Amino acid sequence: MTSPSGSTPAEAQAFLDAHPEIEAFDIVLTDANGVGRGKIVRRHELKSIYEGGRHMPISILGLDITGEDVHETGLIWTTGDGDLRAWPIPGTLVPLYGTSPPRGQLLMAMYHLEGQPMSSDPRLALARQVDILAAKGLYPAGAFELEFFLLANERDADGKVKPADAVLDGRRSAKTEVYSVDHLHGMEPLFSDIYAAAKAQGIPAETVISEYAPGQYELTLNYRKDVMRAADDLVMLKRLVRAQARRHGVTACFMAKPIEKYAGSGMHFHVSLQDKNGRNVFAEAGGESWSLPLLQGLGGLIQTMAESMLVFAPHANSWRRFVSQSYAPVAPTWGVNNRSVALRVPAGDARNRRIEHRPSGVDANPYLIAATVLAGIVKGLDEGLDPGPETTGNGYEAAVTRTTMPVDWRAAIEAARASSFLKEALGEDLHRTFVAIKQSEYLRVARTVSELDYHLYLHEV
């Protein structure tokens, strides 16, 4: 049958012709948690995947963070755990740098056997929001930023994680080296391989900086006119960073808050809208302060932020990142050239005007982030929403009177469960799946007796 994703056997054949050395392929489907699930197939199997898809169990989209079934998703025994058909995502067939024997990688999306989109697939939820905007003559462009830690494989004497020593010469640093170029030199062999791997996959990885915590780094990605490809970039970049770090004997950590006394890691999402002529509709014309679409988009994001926080902070650890003056936003605020707000409008050329959406942690799913952000912008445009006054100065001290944010993970789960907006943004099936998976994860954490429990209570109560 014809691929519903738009992939063609010619793409596979051209790749095989260009890469006779590759012996096998990782085929990867991204689940609600952003975890890549799939198989490794042999070279001779690739063409058949492009010609007829690949059967995969529907339950693969109903797993928790550990890979266990969540029956409340309705994707396990309710369906008899039957197979659906995964199809290649065009443009994601790439070589994997440094593998031996050589392997490639292919991202997949899930469809029903007859070719209809599987509505619990996160990438297809984003595609639906892109289609909604296209019907309005608008086309989203964007890019993600990737913050992460490089950690030693072994823990410290207290069982805590610790920053990795420099892979170049083993030099140890336990202080914040923010923006230190010399500190980056210690990780030069690893970052050189990351850049080489990104180049091999067509990922526009750009600037690397030493971030605001020991062992923390940030990689930026070039802006894409196709927001679907921007989300694919982030998924692929995380996979290759993890793989290259492992090859250099360190751990790439994408927890939102791995070290309690330092800042956590975000996944900032930059987004703008273009019209059919390629004009940025967020760009203000001469004589106006800000364009109306920009303000309305901000208004939609502010109004929907509280009920969307489970998408942006999906795990227990995610909520440890939200501490005042930690560079993680704690209120639905907007401002210009201000990193203490949730929605930042970067300074610069008006032609590049965009919104930097800052609440998400690096542990979130980029497809769900983008789908939810675009849906919020659409709501703002459709309803002509006002974002309220710009926040200036310290956004952590700004009074929040219009929207109450969830105070913790449980409150975020309940807000998401009750949200008609989020149900529309993700689609009813994915909304049910995502909330059920998060509820299951919450219960697992809530019933776990931790070392902190013993430290606080064992001999005291």
Side-chain angles (χ1 to χ4, degrees):
M1 61 183 294
T2 301
S3 169
S5 70
S7 60
T8 65
E11 179 183 2
Q13 188 61 58
F15 186 89
L16 293 171
D17 291 343
H19 296 278
E21 76 284 2
I22 290 182
E23 298 183 12
F25 296 86
D26 297 0
I27 60 171
V28 182
L29 181 76
T30 303
D31 73 5
N33 282 306
V35 175
R37 313 257 181 208
K39 306 177 181 184
I40 297 178
V41 301
R42 305 299 295 170
R43 177 184 178 91
H44 70 268
E45 299 178 84
L46 184 67
K47 283 284 293 295
S48 67
I49 293 173
Y50 276 80
E51 291 166 350
R54 184 71 177 230
H55 284 160
M56 287 189 181
I58 189 174
S59 58
I60 202 170
L61 293 174
L63 303 177
D64 69 9
I65 192 67
T66 70
E68 293 189 11
D69 292 338
V70 178
H71 299 284
E72 292 79 7
T73 62
L75 300 179
I76 316 300
W77 298 126
T78 303
T79 65
D81 195 18
D83 281 345
L84 296 184
R85 204 187 304 262
W87 288 90
I89 296 171
T92 64
L93 178 59
V94 294
L96 290 175
Y97 178 83
T99 51
S100 181
R103 296 203 322 278
Q105 176 181 278
L106 176 62
L107 299 188
M108 309 285 284
M110 191 76 93
Y111 293 81
H112 290 282
L113 297 179
E114 298 79 16
Q116 307 96 321
M118 201 287 166
S119 50
S120 285
D121 185 313
R123 190 179 190 276
L124 297 181
L126 172 56
R128 190 169 66 87
Q129 291 300 325
V130 170
D131 289 343
I132 289 172
L133 280 164
K136 301 175 181 293
L138 296 171
Y139 305 91
F144 289 88
E145 296 175 7
L146 182 69
E147 295 178 359
F148 59 97
F149 281 80
L150 293 175
L151 303 176
N153 292 337
E154 68 280 357
R155 306 285 182 90
D156 66 16
D158 297 321
K160 303 286 190 179
V161 298
K162 60 182 181 180
D165 296 338
V167 299
L168 180 66
D169 55 10
R171 183 178 298 179
R172 183 165 298 172
S173 175
K175 61 182 183 292
T176 298
E177 304 270 10
V178 63
Y179 281 91
S180 169
V181 177
D182 289 344
H183 177 67
L184 291 176
H185 292 169
M187 291 296 179
E188 184 178 26
L190 170 54
F191 282 111
S192 292
D193 281 347
I194 287 172
Y195 280 126
K199 182 178 180 181
Q201 296 187 14
I203 299 171
E206 295 196 327
T207 305
V208 60
I209 65 170
S210 179
E211 258 290 358
Y212 200 62
Q216 188 184 35
Y217 303 87
E218 178 187 273
L219 268 171
T220 62
L221 288 159
N222 194 19
Y223 216 68
R224 292 277 199 182
K225 291 184 178 180
D226 178 358
V227 78
M228 299 287 293
R229 184 62 206 214
D232 293 337
D233 284 342
L234 200 284
V235 168
M236 296 166 72
L237 185 62
K238 283 182 72 173
R239 286 183 57 79
L240 73 83
V241 167
R242 182 180 282 118
Q244 296 306 320
R246 190 174 183 181
R247 294 180 189 284
H248 283 269
V250 299
T251 296
C253 175
F254 300 109
M255 291 173 63
K257 182 81 167 178
I259 302 176
E260 58 194 44
K261 63 181 179 179
Y262 292 109
S265 294
M267 189 195 293
H268 302 161
F269 176 42
H270 295 251
V271 61
S272 60
L273 298 178
Q274 297 182 331
D275 63 18
K276 63 182 181 180
N277 297 317
R279 184 183 68 88
N280 182 359
V281 302
F282 284 172
E284 61 272 15
E288 63 179 351
S289 296
W290 303 108
S291 77
L292 187 59
L294 174 69
L295 293 174
Q296 291 175 341
L298 289 167
L301 293 173
I302 285 173
Q303 186 174 113
T304 59
M305 189 174 296
E307 58 199 298
S308 303
M309 280 305 298
L310 187 62
V311 169
F312 310 142
H315 306 291
N317 180 260
S318 309
W319 290 85
R320 308 194 195 287
R321 176 172 161 260
F322 295 102
V323 179
S324 182
Q325 301 185 44
S326 66
Y327 289 96
V330 294
T333 51
W334 76 279
V336 181
N337 197 23
N338 187 335
R339 287 183 170 85
S340 66
V341 297
L343 303 169
R344 174 175 173 254
V345 179
D349 192 328
R351 292 172 296 180
N352 299 324
R353 191 69 68 218
R354 63 192 186 275
I355 297 170
E356 180 187 3
H357 184 272
R358 297 174 58 83
S360 299
V362 74
D363 55 344
N365 185 326
Y367 296 126
L368 298 187
I369 293 170
T372 304
V373 167
L374 293 184
I377 291 173
V378 168
K379 182 178 177 67
L381 296 175
D382 287 348
E383 300 180 16
L385 298 179
D386 183 350
E390 172 193 347
T391 296
T392 58
N394 188 347
Y396 297 111
E397 296 178 352
V400 180
T401 58
R402 298 181 60 185
T403 308
T404 301
M405 297 282 278
V407 296
D408 56 25
W409 192 28
R410 181 178 180 180
I413 292 172
E414 294 307 315
R417 190 195 313 276
S419 172
S420 57
F421 163 76
L422 201 59
K423 186 176 292 187
E424 169 58 29
L426 303 182
E428 187 171 348
D429 291 338
L430 180 54
H431 176 266
R432 181 192 66 248
T433 298
F434 183 65
V435 171
I437 289 171
K438 295 297 104 185
Q439 178 67 22
S440 173
E441 187 179 341
Y442 169 80
L443 293 175
R444 178 189 288 261
V445 172
R447 66 174 175 259
T448 299
V449 181
S450 70
E451 188 62 35
L452 180 61
D453 288 281
Y454 294 128
H455 176 72
L456 293 176
Y457 310 121
L458 180 61
H459 300 294
E460 309 300 334
V461 295

